[in-house]
Amino acid sequence: MDFRLDEEQQALRESVRDFAREVVAPVIGEHYEQHTFPYEIVRQMGKMGLFGLPFAEEHGGMGGDYFALCLVLEELARVDSSVAITLEAAVSLGAMPIYRFGTEEQKARWLPKLLSGEALAGFGLTEPGTGSDAGGTRTRAVLDGDEWVINGSKAFITNSGTDITALVTVTAVTGTKPDGSKELSTIIVPSGTPGFTVAPGYSKVGWNASDTHELTFDDCRVPAANLLGERGRGFAQFLRILDEGRIAIAALAVGLAQGCVDESVKYAKERQAFGQPIGNYQAIQFKIADMEMKAHTARLAYYDAAARMLAGEPFKRQAAIAKLHASTVAVDNAREATQIHGGYGFMNEYPVARFWRDSKILEIGEGTSEVQRMIIARDLGM
Ligand SMILES: Cc1cc2nc3c(=O)[nH]c(=O)nc-3n(C[C@H](O)[C@H](O)[C@H](O)COP(=O)(O)OP(=O)(O)OC[C@H]3O[C@@H](n4cnc5c(N)ncnc54)[C@H](O)[C@@H]3O)c2cc1C
């Protein structure tokens, strides 16, 4: 077992670290304050090949793997989480369902644009009335001739309303199974389809430079050929997508946790109190040591989950552990980093204020901490 990065992985990490510090850091505070989507950063990430990282070259990807994506997410989130979640959602929730389950026609039509970052896709699972209990989906799609007619709504959908959003994949009830349970399927809805409405962006606590909307479908018609994969496989599809996504969110959480350490070390060396830098006080040193320990162990947890996934082994439990632990650690580190910054930690101009506001959602999105505990317990046979 060797968790050290090889030369290629180190080079990728270094190049994204430089990009985050030199390109993202100087401008992201302004986007965050103004609640604007960072199109120019997304364009540059596209040029770097980040949107195509874990996909095969034959579809326009970079031929890398999911772990490479996680390394990139960690480095981006070390500086800013809005940018990191934009990439995470675009790749693991947007393009991945089409890559994994799409027909050759669907892949040929959508993947080149999505993998180059020229276009984004959203993943519409959550609804206003149901999130954790995703099987409770109420959106319906009825086959009428050679078209699906979709009615319903989706809540909190990332990347669903940008100027470059090309489509959303939507889970919908398409019938009833022989055992009486709902038949769920996934359908591709291109942006601009009549009957598909994107509400104005939410007013959020954090992730202010990322794009999130409620979507409504009112007799929205798309071709029957827009069914993603097999009819009735919607539940299995999103479970697979979310299992993988948890590793990516864990990586993002580790980045935020590490960013809190970076900022705290810097600040503790500069800030003077009682005649010396606050970093000379053991109370502050111990806080930072604990923060570093937490970021490190959370990193090992996501490395382990990713390694199992890439080896083709079961990884559901480890992905849930990584997500649960890393998101807890991110919230802990953001709270302590703010404390170390004193009053300045409460000022939006300091990155730790952004980290604090961005950390809480990590315990909620792509499965709450309670849901992760349910997955772990179930995997233990309970
Ligand atoms: C900024 C943002 C971006 C998002 N992006 C997307 C996206 O791109 N696509 C998408 O589909 N969704 C997205 N979501 C939705 C997100 O995944 C859900 O909010 C999340 O899964 C929780 O669902 P919920 O909000 O309905 O909470 P609920 O499911 O209503 O849960 C409320 C509380 O009850 C707890 N709870 C529920 N069931 C149980 C139980 N059985 N036992 C114990 N506790 C329980 C939960 O843990 C939680 O604490 C996003 C959300 C946000 C805020």
Side-chain angles (χ1 to χ4, degrees):
M1 185 178 289
D2 186 353
F3 280 159
R4 284 171 300 179
L5 304 184
D6 65 25
E7 274 181 28
E8 210 178 317
Q9 291 164 334
Q10 283 181 38
L12 175 68
R13 193 176 59 171
E14 294 305 321
S15 70
V16 176
R17 185 172 295 173
D18 291 347
F19 173 77
R21 287 179 183 164
E22 289 160 20
V23 178
V24 177
V27 298
I28 200 62
E30 180 73 10
H31 281 294
Y32 203 85
E33 285 280 305
Q34 303 298 326
H35 296 219
T36 49
F37 188 75
Y39 287 103
E40 177 54 23
I41 291 174
V42 167
R43 194 187 66 76
Q44 292 194 43
M45 291 198 300
K47 279 183 76 178
M48 290 167 76
L50 303 187
F51 289 90
L53 261 183
F55 302 105
E57 289 171 19
E58 60 175 298
H59 294 296
M62 300 296 287
D65 58 29
Y66 208 81
F67 182 61
L69 171 68
C70 291
L71 289 177
V72 168
L73 292 171
E74 184 186 331
E75 287 308 320
L76 289 175
R78 200 166 166 174
V79 169
D80 180 67
S81 289
S82 295
V83 171
I85 192 61
T86 298
L87 179 67
E88 193 276 339
V91 175
S92 95
L93 301 180
M96 195 59 89
I98 296 178
Y99 182 75
R100 286 219 183 282
F101 314 119
T103 61
E104 287 311 313
E105 288 75 18
Q106 289 166 346
K107 289 180 192 174
R109 177 171 175 194
W110 299 112
L111 289 182
K113 283 188 245 177
L114 298 178
L115 273 45
S116 66
E118 197 187 315
L120 299 173
F123 175 72
L125 173 65
T126 307
E127 300 193 350
T130 187
S132 305
D133 179 17
T137 298
R138 282 185 210 142
T139 296
R140 299 196 77 82
V142 177
L143 205 49
D144 179 25
D146 57 2
E147 287 180 327
W148 289 106
V149 185
I150 309 170
N151 280 288
S153 52
K154 296 287 171 181
F156 312 132
I157 308 306
T158 305
N159 288 341
S160 60
T162 72
D163 295 348
I164 56 171
T165 300
L167 67 106
V168 288
T169 51
V170 177
T171 50
V173 181
T174 49
T176 309
K177 289 186 175 172
D179 66 0
S181 64
K182 287 176 180 170
E183 177 194 84
L184 287 181
S185 305
T186 311
I187 298 171
I188 298 172
V189 183
S191 300
T193 304
F196 168 26
T197 311
V198 180
Y202 291 94
S203 168
K204 293 175 292 193
V205 170
W207 285 0
N208 283 339
S210 97
D211 180 78
T212 327
H213 300 268
E214 182 168 338
L215 312 177
T216 37
F217 302 90
D218 188 8
D219 284 335
C220 173
R221 288 176 173 268
V222 297
N226 282 22
L227 180 72
L228 188 66
E230 275 175 60
R231 181 171 176 165
R233 296 288 296 160
F235 201 75
Q237 288 171 347
F238 73 66
L239 286 186
R240 168 75 202 200
I241 291 299
L242 291 180
D243 277 343
E244 292 176 359
R246 283 180 187 125
I247 308 177
I249 293 290
L252 196 157
V254 169
L256 187 148
Q258 195 66 54
C260 290
V261 177
D262 298 342
E263 294 298 324
S264 297
V265 169
K266 202 163 63 180
Y267 191 78
K269 286 181 179 169
E270 289 165 5
R271 178 68 177 176
Q272 302 268 333
F274 300 97
Q276 49 185 313
I278 58 170
N280 285 2
Y281 300 117
Q282 211 172 41
I284 299 287
Q285 291 174 4
F286 280 12
K287 268 192 203 301
I288 295 176
D290 283 352
M291 287 160 67
E292 174 67 10
M293 170 190 71
K294 290 177 179 181
H296 179 71
T297 55
R299 181 176 300 108
L300 293 179
Y302 97 69
Y303 276 25
D304 173 54
R308 288 170 195 267
M309 174 188 156
L310 294 180
E313 294 169 9
F315 65 95
K316 192 183 258 296
R317 186 195 313 174
Q318 288 76 17
I321 290 171
K323 203 266 180 183
L324 174 60
H325 183 49
S327 57
T328 309
V329 160
V331 172
D332 287 351
N333 280 13
R335 187 183 58 246
E336 293 297 43
T338 303
Q339 190 67 21
I340 289 167
H341 279 67
Y344 292 101
F346 204 62
M347 297 298 121
N348 281 327
E349 68 190 273
Y350 280 78
V352 291
R354 203 161 13 94
F355 292 156
W356 191 44
R357 293 168 63 162
D358 289 343
S359 62
K360 184 60 198 169
I361 180 61
L362 297 169
E363 294 185 321
I364 296 169
E366 293 198 34
T368 64
S369 293
E370 291 74 21
V371 166
Q372 306 311 318
R373 290 186 169 93
M374 282 158 63
I375 292 168
I376 296 164
R378 242 181 241 152
D379 202 59
L380 291 169
M382 287 182 272

